Amino acid sequence: MTWLICLKAIVWRELLRFLNQPSRLISALVRPLIWLLVFAAGFRAALGLAIAPPYDTYIPYGVYVVPGLVGMVQLFNAMQSSLSMVYDREMGSMRLLLTSPLPRWYLISCKLLAGIVVSVVQVYAFLAVAWLCGDDAPPLGYVTVLPALIANGVMLGALGLLLSSLIRQLENFAGVMNFVVFPLFFLSTALYPLWKIREGSEIVADICALNPFTYGVEMIRFGLYGQWNGLATLVVLTVGPLLLAGAILGYSPSRGLIRRKAA
Amino acid sequence: MTLALEVTGLTYCFGQKRALDEVSFAVERTSFTALLGPNGAGKTTFFSLATRLFDAPAGTIRIFGRDVTRHPGEALARLGVVFQDPTLDLDLSVVQNLRYAAALHGLKPRLAAERIERELARFGLFEQRHQKARRLNGGHRRRIEIARALMHEPALLLLDEPTVGLDTPTRSQLVALVHQLCHEEGIAVLWTTHLVDELNDEGDRVVLLQRGRVQAQGTVPEVLAAAGAADLHSIFGPAPALLP
């Protein structure tokens, strides 16, 4: 019961902070919507997309890119949570959480779950706008995509937590954007299919195929159409727990890197 | 009788720098103990170890007999903490901050609501209960942080330089308030500070920490005798010259 009360409080606080900052929701929506409404309009003419699963017919680029943009919402939310963790650590409010009598691994997992809840809220807000803009995912797809969103949220949220345990100062966060977020996003199938990338560069396509975010996006893409991609699921469900284990280690009192900042 | 806090041979290094060197001292139940030391003495490092933000490679910290490293859950459950840096969530209201802290200790909502009401009344903050922490002054924020540390009724209260940045009257009020808590509620208090005027010469115990080592400990007269100082103001020796 104690554990559940603590979990509810951490999720509640994260949601409350999110709702207290309407600009956060707006910016979370504006970024993918620019891609959907502006870039997709431009790419539509330039890119021809063949029929490939999960789609059973030719689709416009605007439809193809929606799962990738869902991944983008989750990726940026994870980085926002990570930034917030670094900020909390620098400002001291992180200490309150870490001095709870519950185990450290549990507190970190609660923090991760809270971030996933916020990211799922953001994703559904984006999917609602995308639907209004003409996205044609089947109605049931909005339900079947949920497990993929949670699994991808675990993977990306755990990455964010791991990064927050490694970053020593808030100022270093710009480097995360350059060296983690942008490569993860652009070297994936979020914006273009793998076969299309391979037409341009074998090396880039190989890198994309090694990028776990690619599999997160594909899991969402298949989920959104009520289908299941075994390889994507396997990769996401393997990488997520590994990253979470790294994050828990990063916040461990005996081995963690928090000590660098804490004193 | 089990001590509220028992520190034995605690050593901690940041790289080559030894921040704490074989530190040993104790805080008795229902006593007010000041961990007194100048800036850089190792007080905050000790505080981080006592609250298990990180573990010490050598030495032990026991809270009511429970080793902080081996039994962190049981040790931290009896500990209330007020950090040196403000740790309130400024975007949440006073009540929301208190409710969050109560939940981190597993208090059920009804019990948490009762405790919140009690602490708000005790600290004279009932009218501010729905205000966001951001809108409160420094003195009120500190009171909330102390109230928050008391939500789970700890038996030991650690306060790390809680009066930093406060004006003199507010400082005096806080010192008196925590002494009152100690005497009336029977809570053991460890108050870290470098401000000697925050000590009560008659009842307080003092642990004098300098350059990571305990130089003396006991009542104020005992510490003055051990340090060879005439009064608490001269206990750290002459201040280094700021200008050549």
Side-chain angles (χ1 to χ4, degrees), chain A residues 3 14 21 32 37 47 58 69 102 140-141 163 170 172 180-181 187 208 221 254:
Chain A
W3 293 41
E14 205 68 31
Q21 300 167 341
L37 302 176
L47 287 171
Y58 288 101
L69 297 179
L102 292 172
L140 196 61
L163 289 171
L170 207 55
N172 296 349
V180 179
V181 176
L187 290 170
C208 290
R221 191 184 308 284
S254 53

Side-chain angles (χ1 to χ4, degrees), chain A residues 117-135:
Chain A
V117 170
V118 171
S119 89
V120 168
V121 171
Q122 290 179 356
V123 164
Y124 277 107
F126 168 71
L127 284 174
V129 181
W131 178 76
L132 290 173
C133 295
D135 185 43

Side-chain angles (χ1 to χ4, degrees), chain A residues 9 13 17 91-92 100 104 253 263, chain B residues 14 52 55 73 86-87 89 103-104:
Chain A
R13 176 181 179 260
R17 278 166 64 96
M91 296 299 123
S100 161
R104 186 73 57 94
Chain B
F14 288 105
R52 218 206 166 208
D55 289 335
T87 55
D89 192 324
L104 289 182

Side-chain angles (χ1 to χ4, degrees), chain B residues 59 73 113 136:
Chain B
L136 301 175

Side-chain angles (χ1 to χ4, degrees), chain A residues 164-186:
Chain A
S164 72
S165 75
L166 298 173
I167 294 168
R168 296 178 68 173
Q169 289 170 319
L170 207 55
E171 292 78 7
N172 296 349
F173 216 82
V176 172
M177 297 302 284
N178 286 333
F179 295 107
V180 179
V181 176
F182 292 149
L184 270 182
F185 182 67
F186 289 110

Side-chain angles (χ1 to χ4, degrees), chain A residues 175-203:
Chain A
V176 172
M177 297 302 284
N178 286 333
F179 295 107
V180 179
V181 176
F182 292 149
L184 270 182
F185 182 67
F186 289 110
L187 290 170
S188 76
T189 54
L191 299 178
Y192 355 83
L194 206 53
W195 63 265
K196 195 78 183 170
I197 301 169
R198 201 170 293 282
E199 282 179 359
S201 166
E202 284 282 340
I203 294 172

Side-chain angles (χ1 to χ4, degrees), chain B residues 76-93:
Chain B
L76 292 174
R78 306 199 71 180
L79 184 68
V81 186
V82 178
F83 297 97
Q84 183 179 344
D85 298 320
T87 55
L88 289 176
D89 192 324
L90 299 180
D91 291 320
L92 300 188
S93 72

Side-chain angles (χ1 to χ4, degrees), chain A residues 49-69:
Chain A
L49 296 177
I51 299 173
Y55 311 108
D56 53 10
T57 182
Y58 288 101
I59 48 154
Y61 182 70
V63 169
Y64 174 82
V65 84
V66 165
L69 297 179

